[in-house]
Amino acid sequence: MALRARALYDFNSENPGEISVQENEIISLHSQQDIDGWLEGSNSKGERGLVPASYVEMIRNDTATSHNNSTSGDAYQGSRYANIPSGGFDASYKPNNQVENFSKAPAPAFPTFSAPAQHQQQQHNYQASQGSDDDWDDDWDDSSTVADEPGVVSGGFRDFEGNGPSTHRISTSSMARGGNAQQAKSSATVSRNLNRFSTFVKSGGEAFVLGEASGFVKDGDKICVTMGQYGPEWQENPYPFACTIDDPTKQTKFKGMKSYIAYKLTPSHTQNQVSRRYKHFDWLYARLVEKFPVISVPHIPEKQATGRFEEDFISKRRKGLIWWMNHMTSHPVLARCDVFQHFLNCTDEKAWKQGKRKAERDEMVGANFFLTISTPAAPLDLQEVESKTDGFKVFTKKMDDSTLQVNATLNEFARKQIAGFKKEYQKVGQSFKSLSQAFEIDQQTYSVGLNQAIAYTGDAYEAIGDYFAEQPRHDVDPVMDLLALYQGHLANYPDIIHVQKGALTKVKESQKHVEEGKMEGPQADSIRERCNIISFATMAEIQHFHHIRVRDFKSQMQHYLREQIGFFQKITGKLEDALQMYDKA
Amino acid sequence: MALRARALYDFNSENPGEISVQENEIISLHSQQDIDGWLEGSNSKGERGLVPASYVEMIRNDTATSHNNSTSGDAYQGSRYANIPSGGFDASYKPNNQVENFSKAPAPAFPTFSAPAQHQQQQHNYQASQGSDDDWDDDWDDSSTVADEPGVVSGGFRDFEGNGPSTHRISTSSMARGGNAQQAKSSATVSRNLNRFSTFVKSGGEAFVLGEASGFVKDGDKICVTMGQYGPEWQENPYPFACTIDDPTKQTKFKGMKSYIAYKLTPSHTQNQVSRRYKHFDWLYARLVEKFPVISVPHIPEKQATGRFEEDFISKRRKGLIWWMNHMTSHPVLARCDVFQHFLNCTDEKAWKQGKRKAERDEMVGANFFLTISTPAAPLDLQEVESKTDGFKVFTKKMDDSTLQVNATLNEFARKQIAGFKKEYQKVGQSFKSLSQAFEIDQQTYSVGLNQAIAYTGDAYEAIGDYFAEQPRHDVDPVMDLLALYQGHLANYPDIIHVQKGALTKVKESQKHVEEGKMEGPQADSIRERCNIISFATMAEIQHFHHIRVRDFKSQMQHYLREQIGFFQKITGKLEDALQMYDKA
């Protein structure tokens, strides 16, 4: 029996060797084995070539293995940045992070209930491909999987209160201090959240608060929260650095049949250039999301299935990566973490692969991340933490609404300038030119200067039309890039807030249990202590968010205004030139 | 039998004592006698009061007297200036200049064929009202008649070649030198134009060329054409002056039931203020059109039936009158003519009426105007005159097209600025303000400056939206006023060119007749001499047109550009203020 597959999405071939397929088209496969993420086959037109493995599902007799593949590149086209939910509120968690090359052994459609689910899931996704180092060199820039990001998981601003702890199973037995993978078996004294899709559970927040996280924290892994002028803050990076992203260049491999774009990254602290592809960023992003439960990891620019080699797209993606990099390097925790440093500094291919595997096997992720945090001695007032968290929730909701509004307005403003404004000014220019042409019919010498001046004025207005059309690239676009990045952060915060609120709820429950004699004081105290750690981290992260927000919006609004001023000055200059022409007329 | 009348147009009462009527409504009249141009009667609703006599036609048994009344105020609403054909090309001459208060003896629907038809027509229209000086004080500003203006007569740029001389009646008898009103009886040697509606005939051009004009030319009436650097030109006014038009004020009369707007005119050469109403301008305009066949009399601002007391309308009309006055005072012939000087200088009511009658009885109008012209000794090359006339015709056609285009474009440009541009900038402003409001929810002290700066930026963009909406009044409107005035001139020129071409045709015919022995040499020579006079006048007028055109368009384009520069500088200033706010942020 011939191997057959069904296309899950449209795929347009962009390079020799690829074949185009339409959604639901049946493809005859020549082999079930993918080559670097590509399958060889023939489409319904009989064309023979490669299709991305992630775009198709095998047609087997056993239909149960056909699984939902909803996070392909196409799925992101609506939003400017990857992983920003394209709107639509979805309170029920859909584990749509099952994108895998189906040639690998399929994972269960839902992760089994063992915390940290996210961690395990990620390990599966990335460790499963360890066998073939070629996987790293997968040609399909955007086809690498991004599993379990909060942005995808949470449908924007869902009301996580309504999604909160459900029924509790109360037990008086003491907590089992099991290993990393054994928490699920332990019967916790304080309620466990039975909603296995809760971010609080997934992030490892619950496991940590309940004392189920364990791991050896090296000195280098220690993350300090200090008490600053405005409250808890991440200890500043003593070695701040920046990183430039330049020279996106098209490179080919796979006998020239596959192409990708490589960027040159130059960190300021090493000055060693490294070459990285979008898929590397994507991989790194997944590592960071997995590792840091209450840190808002900036989203990387959106995936795009077609037009990936168009100049505009490359330029836009590069700008997005620069914004991303800027947020990475200015985050005291993210900037210093091993996997990011490895990404920035490693030039040797063998060392790269070793570092990659190490990062994928990192145990200090999720629940264990909280173990690495050291806080000031004086605990936080948890009531104040709750109040601040609530306030921040209101803030993020309002900021999300208004960034959406600014985004829509500026988008329309840019569109109007590119189309309508340009047209109006050019029509004015053309009508002046037609007037000067009429005047030229009269050969009076005293009219010549005027005719020329009016013609020049016509040209000036046509140029001004062009200025209007060009301007949004210089001012509106950067603001929209900024907004997109912040929309990513704002999409992260519901989950972060959820973790914080979950921890606070656990403290309240434990207090109640102590009052009811169901729990011993020391146990409740340790829950409170761990909640204090989460609170320090959350407060520090919120503080960091406000700091970079003020910094970014200040500098971006200044940039926008400077550009606008320059723009109107350019127009004024053009008109002044035109006016001067009349002195001679 | 009750006196009845039918409303020819809708009339909306604007003042106590007036009644509203709808087109075709039947009005019962209390008397056939009008009072100051108003009739007392009852409308179909039984309301009793005054309606403008010019808005109704009497219903008589003799229906023949009901005549076509197509030049009421309403008819002009499409165009910005009075008497500018509202588009549409009409090659057949329609004598739609029969507007009269029907209480006067109705004129024949078509003027009898006696040259100069225009002159006689005008005399009828205005001299018929001599019996009642009250007519001068007619309340209905806009209801006074404007007869026989070329602009109304010619449907824009009609192809007057196609409308030229038709069949010719040839006779060898010598020309009868009859009086002003007797030419029709004379049998001309050279063909008479049987198209009695031809501008050449109506203007008196034909009569003059054929030697049928006669009159006593006083020294003061002499109009000199000189040979200047660029060809024939009107002798400059040795006493140039300007005249301001200020303080439009509402005045009432007729026991307070009628209102009108009076303007203060102050000529620079006398510094004596006179008070004039629109109807006075209208009367003067009619005198000038009648008197000067090849001079382009600037059109007065359009009539308007309703909203005459609204501030915007008054301001717009005043600006139109200022433009008109500017063109009057800068025309060497028009500026100096008696009727204009009377209009500018007379303050005494009795002297005014005397001067008014004198002007209406002026014999040196139409054909006789050419008698007043003295030219340089050396005659013009008529072939060159013809070529220049043809060139000018092409020029005016092209200029008419492009002024229409500029007008339409600027009109749309203004509309867009007032609506769309304003809206876009204000939406940007509002979205920035909403962002600052979101930011204000965060009480971080380090965010306060930024919040204020963004709010200020929002206000700045809202203000810029207003700037856009206000701007057209300052730059587009004056250009459109200029274009309207020139569209009036351009509507005049077909008739002027027609007179010139008619005269040239007569010369050619006479040459042919001489060759064929049908005319004697001296007679042909005198025709050529008179054509030379017309040619000098036409060439001087064309020269004048080009001079004021260059002057006006230069200064208006400069004004437009200065305003635009100021506008964009104002925007820049506002944005610079906003930018400064971020220094403190």
Side-chain angles (χ1 to χ4, degrees), chain A residues 88-329:
Chain A
F89 166 95
D90 190 355
S92 67
Y93 167 58
K94 288 202 198 108
N96 53 359
N97 51 338
Q98 313 301 328
V99 178
E100 298 164 88
N101 296 342
F102 73 83
S103 55
K104 312 284 182 271
F110 291 84
T112 51
F113 185 64
S114 66
Q118 184 184 28
H119 183 194
Q120 196 217 38
Q121 178 73 23
Q122 290 289 346
Q123 287 198 332
H124 169 79
N125 270 330
Y126 290 94
Q127 294 190 347
S129 63
Q130 253 180 281
S132 160
D133 275 333
D134 277 6
D135 175 59
W136 179 248
D137 295 323
D138 180 15
D139 292 287
W140 183 237
D141 244 10
D142 291 349
S143 66
S144 58
T145 62
V146 183
D148 224 48
E149 309 119 22
V152 172
V153 167
S154 72
F157 265 83
R158 63 202 157 101
D159 185 358
F160 30 84
E161 240 77 276
N163 201 20
S166 47
T167 50
H168 305 300
R169 182 160 57 87
I170 313 290
S171 157
T172 50
S173 76
S174 68
M175 275 186 285
R177 296 247 167 205
N180 185 20
Q182 275 78 48
Q183 302 98 326
K185 297 171 197 152
S186 75
S187 64
T189 304
V190 169
S191 62
R192 292 198 61 91
N193 192 333
L194 290 186
N195 179 353
R196 59 186 178 177
F197 307 128
S198 150
T199 308
F200 182 45
V201 176
K202 287 190 297 121
S203 68
E206 185 185 55
F208 174 72
V209 169
L210 298 183
E212 293 163 357
S214 75
F216 175 70
V217 182
K218 288 170 288 177
D219 271 1
D221 285 346
K222 275 259 185 302
I223 292 166
C224 287
V225 178
T226 60
M227 188 53 85
Q229 187 184 352
Y230 306 104
E233 57 189 34
W234 300 114
Q235 188 178 50
E236 266 185 40
N237 185 354
Y239 311 107
F241 65 94
C243 179
T244 56
I245 300 177
D246 295 301
D247 299 333
T249 45
K250 188 170 179 174
Q251 302 190 353
T252 55
K253 53 163 293 194
F254 201 53
K255 290 177 186 163
M257 280 169 70
K258 300 306 307 165
S259 305
Y260 57 87
I261 302 296
Y263 303 85
K264 301 260 173 297
L265 276 56
T266 317
S268 62
H269 59 326
T270 64
Q271 288 296 329
N272 280 337
Q273 201 177 71
V274 296
S275 175
R276 295 289 178 258
R277 295 170 54 186
Y278 179 81
K279 62 176 284 176
H280 301 157
F281 284 91
D282 198 25
W283 173 83
L284 172 61
Y285 174 76
R287 296 282 76 64
L288 297 167
V289 165
E290 170 189 36
K291 187 170 173 69
F292 300 111
V294 293
I295 287 178
S296 175
V297 180
H299 293 212
I300 56 172
E302 66 179 343
K303 293 168 192 290
Q304 185 165 317
T306 56
R308 286 177 297 132
F309 301 118
E310 284 165 19
E311 211 170 302
D312 264 11
F313 171 73
I314 294 166
S315 152
K316 196 177 136 193
R317 170 167 282 182
R318 180 175 156 254
K319 278 189 276 176
L321 291 174
I322 290 170
W323 271 111
W324 179 87
M325 183 58 84
N326 174 286
H327 270 218
M328 283 299 296
T329 57

Side-chain angles (χ1 to χ4, degrees), chain A residues 230 391 394-395 398-399 402-403 405-406 409-410 412-413 416 421 424-425 427-428 430-432 434-435 437-439 441-442 444-447 450-451 454 457 461 468 543 546-547 549-550 553-554 557-558 560-562 564-565 568-569 571-572 575-576 578-579 582-583 585, chain B residues 230 391 394-395 398-399 402-403 405-406 409-410 412-413 416 421 424-425 427-428 430-432 434-435 437-439 441-442 444-447 450-451 454 457 461 468 543 546-547 549-550 553-554 557-558 560-562 564-565 568-569 571-572 575-576 578-579 582-583 585:
Chain A
Y230 306 104
V394 173
F395 171 81
K398 190 83 202 296
M399 179 169 168
S402 66
T403 51
Q405 189 193 337
V406 175
T409 304
L410 287 182
E412 180 63 13
F413 187 50
K416 283 275 164 62
F421 285 35
E424 288 307 317
Y425 281 92
K427 271 162 58 188
V428 169
Q430 281 152 14
S431 72
F432 284 152
S434 107
L435 187 65
Q437 281 158 14
F439 281 6
I441 291 174
D442 169 45
Q444 308 286 356
T445 51
Y446 53 79
S447 184
L450 176 69
N451 302 350
I454 295 177
T457 308
Y461 272 87
F468 268 100
Q543 189 72 246
H546 283 312
H547 270 293
R549 170 181 66 80
V550 170
F553 278 85
K554 176 179 171 177
M557 288 301 289
Q558 285 177 318
Y560 180 78
L561 287 171
R562 282 195 197 102
Q564 283 268 290
I565 290 166
F568 286 115
Q569 282 172 340
I571 292 177
T572 306
L575 294 174
E576 277 167 347
L579 179 59
Y582 291 85
D583 295 344
Chain B
Y230 305 105
V394 172
F395 171 81
K398 190 83 203 294
M399 180 170 169
S402 65
T403 50
Q405 190 194 335
V406 175
T409 304
L410 288 182
E412 180 62 13
F413 187 50
K416 285 272 165 62
F421 285 37
E424 289 307 318
Y425 281 90
K427 271 162 58 188
V428 170
Q430 282 151 15
S431 73
F432 284 152
S434 106
L435 186 66
Q437 281 157 14
F439 282 6
I441 290 174
D442 169 44
Q444 309 286 356
T445 51
Y446 52 79
S447 184
L450 175 69
N451 303 349
I454 295 178
T457 308
Y461 272 87
F468 267 101
Q543 188 74 243
H546 283 312
H547 271 291
R549 170 180 66 81
V550 170
F553 278 84
K554 177 181 170 177
M557 289 301 289
Q558 285 177 316
Y560 179 79
L561 287 171
R562 283 195 197 103
Q564 283 268 291
I565 290 166
F568 286 114
Q569 282 172 338
I571 291 176
T572 306
L575 294 174
E576 279 166 346
L579 179 59
Y582 292 85
D583 295 344

Side-chain angles (χ1 to χ4, degrees), chain A residues 281-538:
Chain A
F281 284 91
D282 198 25
W283 173 83
L284 172 61
Y285 174 76
R287 296 282 76 64
L288 297 167
V289 165
E290 170 189 36
K291 187 170 173 69
F292 300 111
V294 293
I295 287 178
S296 175
V297 180
H299 293 212
I300 56 172
E302 66 179 343
K303 293 168 192 290
Q304 185 165 317
T306 56
R308 286 177 297 132
F309 301 118
E310 284 165 19
E311 211 170 302
D312 264 11
F313 171 73
I314 294 166
S315 152
K316 196 177 136 193
R317 170 167 282 182
R318 180 175 156 254
K319 278 189 276 176
L321 291 174
I322 290 170
W323 271 111
W324 179 87
M325 183 58 84
N326 174 286
H327 270 218
M328 283 299 296
T329 57
S330 59
H331 194 290
V333 178
L334 296 176
R336 281 188 282 177
C337 81
D338 286 347
V339 64
F340 184 49
Q341 288 295 331
H342 178 64
F343 172 88
L344 290 177
N345 300 321
C346 185
T347 49
D348 176 69
E349 200 171 339
K350 202 170 168 189
W352 170 259
K353 283 173 185 167
Q354 283 171 349
K356 180 173 172 286
R357 281 178 209 163
K358 189 179 155 221
E360 285 160 357
R361 286 184 192 130
D362 185 2
E363 293 217 329
M364 303 314 284
V365 301
N368 288 357
F369 159 74
F370 293 112
L371 298 173
T372 63
I373 292 172
S374 71
T375 67
L380 290 171
D381 176 344
L382 292 188
Q383 221 162 353
E384 205 182 308
V385 168
E386 181 157 31
S387 153
K388 280 190 176 172
T389 306
D390 287 342
F392 185 67
K393 188 185 153 191
V394 173
F395 171 81
T396 49
K397 176 81 180 74
K398 190 83 202 296
M399 179 169 168
D400 194 55
D401 289 347
S402 66
T403 51
L404 268 177
Q405 189 193 337
V406 175
N407 197 68
T409 304
L410 287 182
N411 196 45
E412 180 63 13
F413 187 50
R415 209 182 61 78
K416 283 275 164 62
Q417 288 185 73
I418 289 165
F421 285 35
K422 174 182 176 179
K423 205 181 80 192
E424 288 307 317
Y425 281 92
Q426 294 204 330
K427 271 162 58 188
V428 169
Q430 281 152 14
S431 72
F432 284 152
K433 278 163 85 172
S434 107
L435 187 65
S436 87
Q437 281 158 14
F439 281 6
E440 272 161 25
I441 291 174
D442 169 45
Q443 296 292 320
Q444 308 286 356
T445 51
Y446 53 79
S447 184
V448 171
L450 176 69
N451 302 350
Q452 287 169 350
I454 295 177
Y456 190 95
T457 308
D459 287 337
Y461 272 87
E462 290 201 324
I464 290 168
D466 287 332
Y467 294 171
F468 268 100
E470 287 159 16
Q471 191 53 24
R473 281 200 302 128
H474 304 298
D475 50 29
V476 168
D477 281 6
V479 174
M480 288 178 71
D481 287 339
L482 175 82
L483 293 175
L485 192 73
Y486 273 84
Q487 283 171 335
H489 280 304
L490 292 168
N492 289 342
Y493 274 103
D495 284 344
I496 293 172
I497 291 168
H498 194 120
V499 171
Q500 175 64 58
K501 297 282 275 186
L504 290 166
T505 302
K506 286 282 172 284
V507 171
K508 284 179 197 163
E509 284 173 13
S510 65
Q511 281 169 336
K512 206 175 155 210
H513 294 332
V514 170
E515 284 161 21
E516 293 167 354
K518 294 175 183 167
M519 190 188 275
E520 286 165 36
Q523 195 181 346
D525 289 346
S526 68
I527 287 176
R528 171 179 284 273
E529 274 163 32
R530 287 187 291 266
C531 177
N532 184 56
I533 290 172
I534 291 182
S535 300
F536 265 109
T538 306

Side-chain angles (χ1 to χ4, degrees), chain B residues 365-381:
Chain B
V365 301
N368 287 359
F369 158 73
F370 293 113
L371 297 173
T372 63
I373 294 171
S374 72
T375 67
L380 291 169
D381 176 343

Side-chain angles (χ1 to χ4, degrees), chain B residues 490-548:
Chain B
L490 292 167
N492 289 342
Y493 273 104
D495 285 345
I496 293 171
I497 292 168
H498 194 121
V499 171
Q500 175 64 58
K501 298 281 276 185
L504 290 166
T505 302
K506 286 282 174 280
V507 171
K508 285 179 198 164
E509 284 173 12
S510 66
Q511 281 171 334
K512 205 174 155 210
H513 294 332
V514 169
E515 283 162 22
E516 292 167 355
K518 292 175 186 166
M519 190 188 275
E520 286 166 37
Q523 197 183 341
D525 290 347
S526 66
I527 287 176
R528 170 181 282 273
E529 276 163 31
R530 286 185 293 265
C531 177
N532 184 58
I533 289 172
I534 291 181
S535 302
F536 264 110
T538 306
M539 293 297 110
E541 184 60 15
I542 289 175
Q543 188 74 243
H544 176 72
F545 175 79
H546 283 312
H547 271 291
I548 56 165

